[in-house]
Amino acid sequence: MKPIIDLRSDTVTKPSEAMRKAMYNAEVGDDVYGEDPTAIKLQNYVAELLGKEAALYVPSGVMANQICLNVLTNPGDEVICEKDAHIFQYESGSPAALSGLQLSLVDGVRGIFSPEQIEPLIRPTSAYYMARTRVVEIENTHNRAGGTINPIENIKAISELARKHNLYMHLDGARIWNASVETNISPAEYASHFDSVSVCLSKGLGAPIGSILAGTKDFVKEAFRVRKAWGGGMRQVGVIAAAGLFAVQNNIPRLKEDHKKAKVLANGLATISRVSIHPEYVETNILMFTPKNISIEDFQLKCKEVGLLLGTGKVGEIRAVTHMDVSFEQINEAVRIVEKILS
Ligand code: TLP
């Protein structure tokens, strides 16, 4: 039987043999006491990569984002973000549930909003009866918008506006690595425009678990407290932190290959008349398309029956994500499968 072609997400990758060896050999200690040497190594390595004073290893991207928001805000505050932001769409209402926050949503163009769009949303500090605008959040690359890269000049202009209004900036950089390899702008340069940053090790980088949040020493000290309060304090965590360290030390440059795969897939799908797609929108490893005259559910089911797994994006959209565990040959096979189903 042919192996399944799993394009649901770049989270589906499995640890390689070399990564497992690093896990096996990891030195460990009790991380709740801050004594796990491998977690410390990972945190220091990523803090440096992001040009931040300190960093903290956490179980997931959701936890990283939510701890950052919690530390930056007080209940009743408002966070400005794009309408398709992960923190709004896919984090189970946690800004409200965990931190008492409300979100002010901006209608971006393929996930990207301008400073001009958000300036009128910033509430006057004199208006004591309004929520207090506290944070501007940017997701880069933007997942639900199809892996789009936020231009650095735009990020810079937004962060200048935020500074002017004494607002914090938070980066959901789950896939900042993808943006970085594509633009040659370092993760540190991206991060320099933000007070807090969350990055994922378990997506394109191929680690089985984990995210990192980063900021100033004081910020991370407080994040350490919140992580424990929310049940995210882990013990001999070095066995998984080793996988994260391996991922971040070895698997960033190869993300370019995943971007090529996404382009090959998009161009292939564009030749199918019953597929609606914009291959020119594909910037990184995520692509969105719509199969015509068939429901998303039926289409996904038919694909699944022949070994192709696809995800969903916005309503009526299929999401396909390329990653290290899918080959170019499998990408071509995926195009053939879709062509056959829609012929
Ligand atoms: N995204 C997942 C799903 O939740 C959609 C995926 O398959 O892409 N920020 C961004 C931009 C993300 O895409 C994700 C995960 C997260 C945060 C949360 O990471 P995890 O799943 O580790 O909590």
Side-chain angles (χ1 to χ4, degrees), residues 37-56 212 245:
T38 311
I40 292 171
K41 225 189 250 175
L42 170 64
Q43 288 165 177
N44 290 342
Y45 187 88
V46 177
E48 197 172 327
L49 203 57
L50 295 173
K52 294 292 180 203
E53 279 177 20
L56 186 69
I212 298 276
L245 188 59

Side-chain angles (χ1 to χ4, degrees), residues 194-231:
F194 296 87
D195 300 283
S196 60
V197 178
S198 75
V199 296
C200 281
L201 307 165
S202 62
K203 303 206 159 57
L205 300 192
I209 304 162
S211 278
I212 298 276
L213 61 83
T216 63
K217 273 191 185 138
D218 283 348
F219 173 85
V220 170
K221 196 173 165 201
E222 189 57 14
F224 186 81
R225 193 190 68 78
V226 177
R227 183 185 69 173
K228 185 72 176 88
W230 290 357

Side-chain angles (χ1 to χ4, degrees), residues 9 60-62 65 86 90-91 139 143 172 174-175 203 319:
S9 182
S60 69
V62 170
N65 279 334
H86 198 275
Y90 301 131
E91 301 197 3
E139 185 176 315
N143 176 354
D172 178 349
R175 295 186 180 85
K203 303 206 159 57
R319 183 183 79 150

Side-chain angles (χ1 to χ4, degrees), residues 16 59 111 144 151 215 227 235 291 312 327:
S16 64
R144 206 166 193 248
R227 183 185 69 173
R235 301 291 178 176
T312 40
S327 65

Side-chain angles (χ1 to χ4, degrees), residues 165-307:
H165 291 270
N166 289 318
L167 307 179
Y168 294 120
M169 291 281 291
H170 172 67
L171 171 64
D172 178 349
R175 295 186 180 85
I176 196 63
W177 324 114
N178 297 80
S180 176
V181 296
E182 206 47 47
T183 58
N184 286 322
I185 295 168
S186 69
E189 173 155 7
Y190 279 119
S192 70
H193 302 289
F194 296 87
D195 300 283
S196 60
V197 178
S198 75
V199 296
C200 281
L201 307 165
S202 62
K203 303 206 159 57
L205 300 192
I209 304 162
S211 278
I212 298 276
L213 61 83
T216 63
K217 273 191 185 138
D218 283 348
F219 173 85
V220 170
K221 196 173 165 201
E222 189 57 14
F224 186 81
R225 193 190 68 78
V226 177
R227 183 185 69 173
K228 185 72 176 88
W230 290 357
M234 299 181 284
R235 301 291 178 176
Q236 284 69 31
V237 75
V239 286
I240 52 172
L245 188 59
F246 181 94
V248 87
Q249 286 178 334
N250 293 283
N251 292 343
I252 296 178
R254 66 148 307 286
L255 290 171
K256 268 236 156 201
E257 200 178 291
D258 298 343
H259 301 175
K260 274 194 204 130
K261 287 174 200 163
K263 289 207 175 85
V264 169
L265 179 60
N267 289 331
L269 293 173
T271 64
I272 303 168
S273 61
R274 278 181 61 201
V275 167
S276 166
I277 186 167
H278 286 279
E280 71 279 14
Y281 286 173
V282 178
E283 295 177 53
T284 57
N285 69 327
I286 301 179
L287 65 93
M288 305 295 191
F289 68 95
T290 303
K292 296 181 202 162
N293 304 323
I294 183 168
S295 77
I296 292 297
E297 295 72 25
D298 284 353
F299 176 71
Q300 279 177 322
L301 201 65
K302 283 196 158 68
C303 289
K304 191 176 173 186
E305 280 164 6
V306 287

Side-chain angles (χ1 to χ4, degrees), residues 124-173:
T125 42
S126 56
Y128 61 87
Y129 42 84
M130 286 180 157
R132 197 175 266 163
T133 310
R134 186 78 73 175
V135 179
V136 179
E137 191 260 10
I138 289 178
E139 185 176 315
N140 196 18
T141 67
H142 194 300
N143 176 354
R144 206 166 193 248
T148 49
I149 300 173
N150 207 312
I152 193 78
E153 308 73 44
N154 189 54
I155 294 174
K156 203 165 162 243
I158 291 170
S159 101
E160 278 162 12
L161 178 70
R163 297 277 164 269
K164 198 172 105 192
H165 291 270
N166 289 318
L167 307 179
Y168 294 120
M169 291 281 291
H170 172 67
L171 171 64
D172 178 349

